[in-house]
Amino acid sequence: MFSGRNWVARGLYLLLNICSLEVYGGLVQSCGHILPESPVLALGSNFTALCILNESCLDFGNIYASQIIWKIKNRVVPREQYREINRTVSSVTFNDTSSLATPLTCNILADGQIEQNIYGITVTLGLPPEKPKNLSCIVHQVLKLTYPMTCTWNPGRHTFLDTQFRLKYRWPHENFPDCIPKDVNNSCTINEVLFFVNLEVWVEATNALGKAESDPLVLDPIDIVKPLPPHNLSVNSGILPTVLKLSWENRISVAVMKLKFNIRYRIIGDTNWMQVPPEDTASPRTSFSVQGLRPYTEYVFSIRCMKEDGVGYWSNWSEEKTGVTTEDKPSKGPAIWRIIDASHSPASWTVHLMWKALEPFEANGVILQYEVTVRPKSSLSSPPERFNVNTTNLTLKLPNGTYEVAVIARNRVGASPPSVLLIPASNSKAPVKNVRTLPKDGKLWVGWTAPNTYILKYVIEWCLVSNSSDCIIEWQNEPGNVQGTYLKGDIKPFKCYLITVYPLYADGQGSGQSVKAYLQQDRPSKGPTVQTKKVGKAEAVLTWNHLTVDEQNGFIRSYTIFYKTIDGNETAVTVDPSKTEYTLSSLASDTLYTVRMMAYTDEGGRSGPDFTFTTQKFGKGEIEAIVVPVCLAFLLIVLLGVLFCFNKRDLIKKHIWPIVPDPSKSNIAQWSPQVPAKHNFSSKDQMYPEGSFTDVSVVEIEADDKKSFSEQDLKPFDLLKKEKSTSEGHSSGIGGSSCMSSPRQSVSDSDEGETTQNTSSTVQYSTVVLNGYRDQTPVQVFSRSESTQPLLDSEERSEDHAGGGDSTTRRQQYFKQSGGQDEASADRPCFEGTKQITSDDEGDLVRFAQLQVLSQSSQLLGFDLEKDTQEAALSDVSETSTEGQMVRPETGEGNPASVDQMPKSYLPQTVRQGGYMPQ
Amino acid sequence: MAAADSPSAALRRRDLCSRGIRLAGKMRSDVLDLLDTYVERQGLDASASVAAVEGLPTAAAERWDEQTGTQRLLENLSAYRTFRTLLAQMLEEQREQLGEAEAALGRALAAVLLQVSAFAYHLEEMLRLESRGPPSEEGAGAPPLPHLSLFERKLRGLGVLRELAQWAVRSVRDLRQLAKPGPEPSPAESL
């Protein structure tokens, strides 16, 4: 079923093609057409097109107008715009042709599916021409007899269509061919027009949508002529130095028009034209004499013309011609000024006279020479001096005084009036006030306030201030009635000028008043180079040099110092421009700072190079503030210590220097050994063999116990006591500790060699009460005092004290020998025992004796106490060795003073030198 | 003459007179220039004697000062209409003889012809202001061209230009006369 319908559709389509391409007479005939055919439409108008189907196609293809589809290009026109007029005609209407485009086609939808184009038209859209406006015409004279007329107009809006413009013109009784513009649509030129007959001119614009005409212009072409300018202009000098005569030829016939003229002229080099009064040249002519010109001046002339009645156009200006007026004598004398140099001699001046060359309009010719007259005012009788010079300066050496200098300029025609300058002895007149400057119009204006008195004229001096060149003075004169002027010279921007204003009076001059000025300022060309003068902990003193004048480029208004740490914000400080030093404060200590400096003028600033510095860690006096108090405190402590020691010297003495009893004052000293036989030294060795007598104990005997002993018994105790003191001193000298050293010392004490026998006659003996070993019966031994050394004062005092007080009797001490090596471990009890002793004076005495020996044996101090103690302990253990004895003399020899001080007694020497006599 | 009495007519008349005078002056100047060019281009002698052109009224008048304004205008108009025809003939002859090489002479001739035509229009306008109106051109104008040789045509042309120069002078004088205030009523006007 479906395939069958499709076949039918194909068949219809083929039929339609056959119908639409029906061959007739060899041409292809369409099935329809559109009316109108390729219309030109006005933009914005409405438009209706008809598509008309051929009847023949209806028969073949069963096609009707209702099947027509209108399309613009490929876009289907909405069906609302269609209208089926009959079965063969369909219309489409466009209310605004702006929506139209090309092509507009009529199409048919065959069998409701297949679209077939029937016909198409091209639509051209555009606008009708507007009425041309602003028509105007001008007749240019191009040759003597050729006067083409050119008319221009405004063609109006763009029409989007091909629009033709025609310039039409006619006489009332005669028509002329139209003027058709070439390549333009707004002007046309008629080659030849006739004057004195009114011509009617108008423009006609035509295109496919219509035609428009401008308003007609009726004119006589003679009234719109722009003639050619006069030519062959010549300029001739007249008899007078202020007159030049012009001649020319006109290029338009008087028969055509009468002319009037404009003549303009200017001084060559000047840009401003002057003009001869028009009324003087309002009539036809071919020459004119221009008057009122400057002598010896070259002028440029030009001329133009137009119709005499002023109707029409001025011609262009003619070619320029120059002419020079003749010379005249100078109109005024040269401006004169002076520089007085009084430095060479106090009695005379070197006067540099300067005058300015006259301006051309003043010189009125070529200046041949200047005549200078110098007349002393003080001595009228002396004749004036005259100088003829060709230059504009003259240097004279004149005695101090007042002079009148006159200068005249001379040219071929004559001499100028004289210029007079008074050179006074001093500038005693009133000066000007309030000298000020103002840049204006690229020039530097100088103003001042005049004094109250009459001023003849002013002299303004100025010079460029620079480091690289001297101040070369320039100057100018100004009349006395002005109070300001522009500097007439090459004033450069960014340069400093020193400007001085002098008032000149009829009888003298005032002193100059100066001011510095810039025509234009700029930023400084460089910034100040800042550096540190001094750096402290929290402050730094910065110094810099002022910029030179050449570097400033303007007035330095301020400096700004920028400083910052490496990672900190930049801080700015504004500094007065007169300063060259500034102290930065509140800086962080021991910190690296970067500092730079900018100098500012009115136009801005420029920065100098960066400079870095590091603040100090300690401030000034901070170290002293720490060290001095510490030292003072130390000294104070020392002093206090000393004072304390001084005050407590007794106490200290008691602790440090035990009272060493004077053996000479001891009881034993008066004691004569009655039983020397008992002193069996040889047996002693047997009795107390070395090593067996290892310790000495002090046994306190209470005073009350004295009575338990017989007097005889006590004496030996006294002796023993003295001996003990000595032996204690020795022991303490060895080890500083009686407990440690006592065994050895005890040995030395007890081990007396044969030498003791040699000195028995002079040395007394002490009695040593030896305790028996472990409950053995002590053996009373008298031991000879070893010491022959003079006692220290303290010892003596102690001794005296002890002796005086005889306190030894109150508390008796004696040595308790603790035998055996095992007993050596009982040091502590021994110490304690010592403590007990020190609680009494006698005990103190014993200790003092020990300390005394310690102090006297400087060589022992040189040894390490502990070492010695250990040594002593070793010797205790391994018996006294010769090696140990050998050490001591060596160290003792290191202190010869102590050796010298020693009395030459045998045993003490041996002992003191640290050795034990070999036994 | 009633029309001439109205202020606007008087103004128009004065304007026509003024511009007619200047046009005649310009025409004379151009004709003199054209004469020089014509003599040079045609190889003629400037002093050559030329017989009067047939049918062309002469500028000379025996009782010129006795003529009325209208008479002056009519005579002028008759003369210039004749000149217009003759100059048109001359221009046609020039184009045939000299071709484009002598375009300058042809342009000068055309310019003079145009001025002659313009002056004739001026005269017609002035006659209209005289309430007379210009006469019909039929009967007036140049006689039919005789069969002349080339040289004779050149001489004839020289004669036409010389006479035109004369008429230009006379026309200036006539118009100045017409421009004078209070002209006496002429016999013609009384007719």
Side-chain angles (χ1 to χ4, degrees), chain A residues 145 171-174 176 194-198 220 255-256, chain B residues 19 22-23 25-26 29-30 33 114-115 117-118 121-122:
Chain A
L145 297 174
W171 284 342
H173 63 290
E174 189 169 347
F176 296 102
L194 192 65
F195 297 135
F196 312 117
V197 184
N198 280 341
D220 184 346
V256 176
Chain B
R19 295 205 294 173
R22 296 172 70 184
L23 178 57
K26 170 78 165 45
S29 172
D30 289 351
D33 290 340
L114 206 58
Q115 291 177 71
S117 177
Y121 165 72
H122 265 279

Side-chain angles (χ1 to χ4, degrees), chain B:
Chain B
M1 206 57 207
D5 291 336
S6 69
S8 63
L11 196 64
R12 170 72 174 155
R13 186 167 177 268
R14 194 179 304 124
D15 177 61
L16 285 171
C17 278
S18 171
R19 295 205 294 173
I21 291 167
R22 296 172 70 184
L23 178 57
K26 170 78 165 45
M27 188 164 57
R28 180 177 177 274
S29 172
D30 289 351
V31 169
L32 290 178
D33 290 340
L34 178 59
L35 269 174
D36 293 340
T37 307
Y38 187 84
V39 167
E40 181 187 351
R41 293 297 177 186
Q42 301 290 5
L44 300 174
D45 185 1
S47 60
S49 174
V50 180
V53 178
E54 188 182 351
L56 183 65
T58 58
E62 289 185 358
R63 292 183 179 179
W64 177 81
D65 55 344
E66 294 178 2
Q67 286 185 334
T68 63
T70 303
Q71 273 182 310
R72 296 176 194 274
L73 290 174
L74 287 172
E75 284 188 14
N76 273 272
L77 181 59
S78 172
Y80 282 99
R81 281 178 172 172
T82 305
F83 280 123
R84 189 166 59 191
T85 304
L86 290 172
L87 286 172
Q89 290 174 356
M90 284 175 64
L91 188 59
E92 188 63 29
E93 289 169 358
Q94 290 300 319
R95 283 175 183 158
E96 291 173 359
Q97 294 169 13
L98 304 174
E100 292 300 319
E102 298 297 337
L105 180 60
R107 282 199 298 273
L109 265 175
V112 170
L113 172 59
L114 206 58
Q115 291 177 71
V116 169
S117 177
F119 195 72
Y121 165 72
H122 265 279
L123 295 172
E124 290 168 1
E125 286 295 303
M126 292 178 78
L127 281 169
R128 285 191 191 95
L129 286 176
E130 298 289 336
S131 302
R132 179 68 185 263
S136 169
E137 289 195 53
E138 292 180 8
L145 280 173
H147 293 285
L148 299 174
S149 65
L150 178 60
F151 184 71
E152 288 172 333
R153 287 204 293 266
K154 288 180 180 178
L155 285 179
R156 184 172 174 268
L158 182 61
V160 170
L161 293 178
R162 281 181 176 173
E163 195 59 39
L164 178 57
Q166 294 293 329
W167 265 106
V169 174
R170 178 183 165 175
S171 298
V172 170
R173 297 182 65 186
D174 283 333
L175 292 178
R176 281 181 178 161
Q177 194 70 23
L178 286 168
K180 285 181 180 176
E184 293 177 1
S186 64
E189 289 173 338
S190 61
L191 291 176

Side-chain angles (χ1 to χ4, degrees), chain A residues 325-337:
Chain A
T325 50
T326 55
E327 282 191 55
D328 197 0
K329 63 181 180 182
S331 60
K332 60 179 284 191
I336 183 171
W337 186 233

